[in-house]
Amino acid sequence: MSKANKIQMADLRGQYDRVKPQIDFAIQEVVNSTEFINGPQVKTFESNLQLYLGSNYVIACGNGTDALQIALMALNLQPGDEVIVPCFTYVATAEVIALLRLTPVLIDVDANTFNNTAELIENAITSKTRAIVPVHLFGQCADMEEILEVARKHSLYIVEDTAQALGAEYTFSDGTVKKAGTMGDIGCTSFFPSKNLGCYGDGGALITNDAFLANRIRKIANHGQEIKYCHDVIGVNSRLDTLQAAILLVKLPHLDDYALARNKAADIYDTELGLLDWLQIPARQHNSTHVFHQYTLKLSATIDRELFKVYLSAHGVPSMIYYPIPLHMQNAFKTDTHQEGDFPISEELCKRVISLPIHTEMSADELRFITDTIKLFQHG
Ligand SMILES: *Cc1c(COP(=O)(O)O)cnc(C)c1O
């Protein structure tokens, strides 16, 4: 690889270059109008995303973390209510639960898909449990049919963390296909620049099919008001900028192509790395498509991950560890009830996973170079 084509974890510049005229025009249009807040592009984007997802309502907000917080606020959960959440996820998922003085109840994940399972969820249910926040980690849906069943049985709300899986599709056993974020009571997503549908700053959205929840969400995201200066409930200020909405309007029609490009790269990784006995390629579920927000390997226990990472880096191949520390081992979430060993799968994953470059602009040459480099790693 020449220095000019430095391999990147995500190539935001390359993706921009493909739609540069449209993006530049859209940005200029917003600047000319000076409708920086609540410009018409925000509503249009909400309705286009809603059509794409096949949901009844989409409400844009400031970022994915806000979306999760607003979702929990909209469900009117009370301090002390328990919310079940995986301990192998990005901190935002659990952070908002704790912030609202709800009790995050951490659970382990599946060793192969890295996702929540209905069984682990059901084992964690108590009389105080009110909601479950399944995370569609790395771009593949958690097993929602079983999770919905558990939720129904115990009358629990489901808030889907869809920040990494926008566009992924889940197929129910009766053949019904639904998009990630549309299956639970509320879906939450993020438009952080490196997410599958990324804007040029912060952005997020809530997805729901419930008219009452949609109203409440819209109100809470806007200082608890429906009519200006009439505040019905305590809310927050969380908006998607018009500029970001204008950018997302240009990018949304490309989301499926972005997923296709990521899948092409993942297929090559699978083929080239699948036969190596010292690592495990990402498990694919039969009932969910994968949008490969991340392509995450699980190394054998005998492999020194740090050595592997340094080796890759020395050859110009970047990599990342998502995530290095499970939530129950984070200082912020340490409680008297949890200690090392409580969630053995998540703890093991934190020691053994490593994510390879994956984005919409990867070339065959780059992929060949990365896989050749990995094959030559002296792991003995
Ligand atoms: C990115 C992410 C979030 C938070 O989104 P922000 O827009 O960065 O606030 C939440 N959950 C998961 C799983 C994420 O990957």
Side-chain angles (χ1 to χ4, degrees):
M1 289 278 107
S2 72
K3 279 272 184 300
N5 296 322
K6 203 164 156 285
I7 300 172
Q8 301 177 72
M9 283 303 285
D11 183 4
L12 301 183
R13 176 69 209 211
Q15 198 183 56
Y16 163 62
D17 284 339
R18 286 172 185 269
V19 285
K20 186 176 187 309
Q22 296 94 307
I23 295 266
D24 291 358
F25 181 83
I27 291 174
Q28 194 57 57
E29 203 173 37
V30 175
V31 176
N32 288 345
S33 76
T34 71
E35 289 188 82
F36 299 113
I37 302 293
N38 288 333
Q41 289 88 341
V42 179
K43 270 262 165 316
T44 309
F45 172 67
E46 286 178 340
S47 85
N48 287 10
L49 182 60
Q50 176 235 316
L51 285 172
Y52 170 83
L53 293 170
S55 67
N56 292 346
Y57 306 95
V58 164
I59 301 101
C61 69
N63 57 64
T65 309
D66 277 4
L68 289 160
Q69 180 179 333
I70 293 165
L72 295 169
M73 291 171 78
L75 295 174
N76 204 19
L77 304 184
Q78 300 302 314
D81 285 352
E82 292 180 358
V83 180
I84 296 174
V85 63
C87 69
F88 186 63
T89 179
Y90 184 56
V91 67
T93 322
E95 188 176 45
V96 295
I97 298 170
L99 198 66
L100 293 170
R101 299 274 175 251
L102 309 170
T103 306
V105 173
L106 301 175
I107 58 168
D108 217 341
V109 295
D110 181 81
N112 297 308
T113 64
F114 315 141
N115 267 330
N116 305 89
T117 68
E119 192 187 347
L120 289 166
I121 289 169
E122 192 153 32
N123 290 342
I125 293 173
T126 74
S127 60
K128 289 188 186 155
T129 310
R130 293 289 171 271
I132 309 164
V133 187
V135 180
H136 305 308
L137 201 70
F138 301 150
Q140 187 168 232
C141 293
D143 210 333
M144 288 305 290
E145 182 156 9
E146 293 179 4
I147 293 172
L148 283 162
E149 188 60 40
V150 169
R152 249 192 306 270
K153 195 162 120 195
H154 298 271
S155 304
L156 306 175
Y157 291 115
I158 293 185
V159 175
E160 295 173 70
D161 185 340
T162 315
Q164 302 187 358
L166 200 67
E169 288 183 338
Y170 181 88
T171 305
F172 288 81
S173 50
D174 68 358
T176 311
V177 177
K178 289 191 179 173
K179 286 225 155 69
T182 67
M183 294 175 272
D185 296 282
I186 303 174
C188 298
T189 200
S190 163
F191 308 118
F192 185 83
S194 62
K195 296 282 155 88
N196 288 40
L197 180 63
C199 60
Y200 294 175
D202 276 309
L206 297 101
I207 303 149
T208 185
N209 291 317
D210 183 307
F212 174 79
L213 284 177
N215 251 329
R216 231 180 113 75
I217 289 165
R218 206 171 273 292
K219 194 185 275 188
I220 289 168
N222 184 27
H223 296 292
Q225 66 191 344
E226 213 165 332
I227 300 160
K228 211 167 168 59
Y229 305 122
C230 294
H231 306 277
D232 297 333
V233 292
I234 300 291
V236 296
N237 173 25
S238 186
R239 299 182 280 240
L240 183 69
D241 289 352
T242 311
L243 275 168
Q244 303 305 342
I247 290 160
L248 290 166
L249 269 172
V250 174
K251 292 183 74 180
L252 177 59
H254 300 281
L255 182 55
D256 285 343
D257 285 338
Y258 292 161
L260 205 63
R262 288 172 177 274
N263 268 278
K264 278 193 178 146
D267 286 346
I268 292 173
Y269 277 143
D270 278 3
T271 309
E272 296 298 320
L273 306 177
L275 293 173
L276 302 180
D277 61 4
W278 51 275
L279 58 78
Q280 194 179 309
I281 57 173
R284 311 263 191 128
Q285 278 170 231
H286 70 282
N287 52 10
S288 173
T289 63
H290 204 316
V291 294
F292 284 102
H293 176 62
Q294 297 298 339
Y295 186 93
T296 303
L297 299 173
K298 188 163 83 173
L299 303 179
S300 293
T302 52
I303 302 293
D304 184 331
R305 181 176 63 181
E306 191 50 35
L307 217 61
F308 180 55
K309 199 174 189 318
V310 168
Y311 163 83
L312 289 178
S313 169
H315 287 81
V317 178
S319 61
M320 294 290 280
I321 310 299
Y322 303 116
Y323 297 92
I325 306 170
L327 290 184
H328 69 293
M329 304 294 290
Q330 297 282 2
N331 286 335
F333 289 93
K334 271 192 186 144
T335 62
D336 297 337
T337 52
H338 285 310
Q339 53 197 6
E340 193 166 357
D342 281 359
F343 303 110
I345 297 169
S346 297
E347 289 169 29
E348 192 68 16
L349 291 177
C350 287
K351 290 183 190 127
R352 285 167 53 184
V353 292
I354 185 161
S355 299
L356 299 180
I358 194 156
H359 53 76
T360 57
E361 313 301 315
M362 294 194 82
S363 68
D365 279 355
E366 272 183 322
L367 286 160
R368 159 104 24 223
F369 180 80
I370 295 168
T371 54
D372 283 351
T373 304
I374 292 172
K375 287 180 198 169
L376 289 171
F377 178 60
Q378 301 290 317
H379 60 279

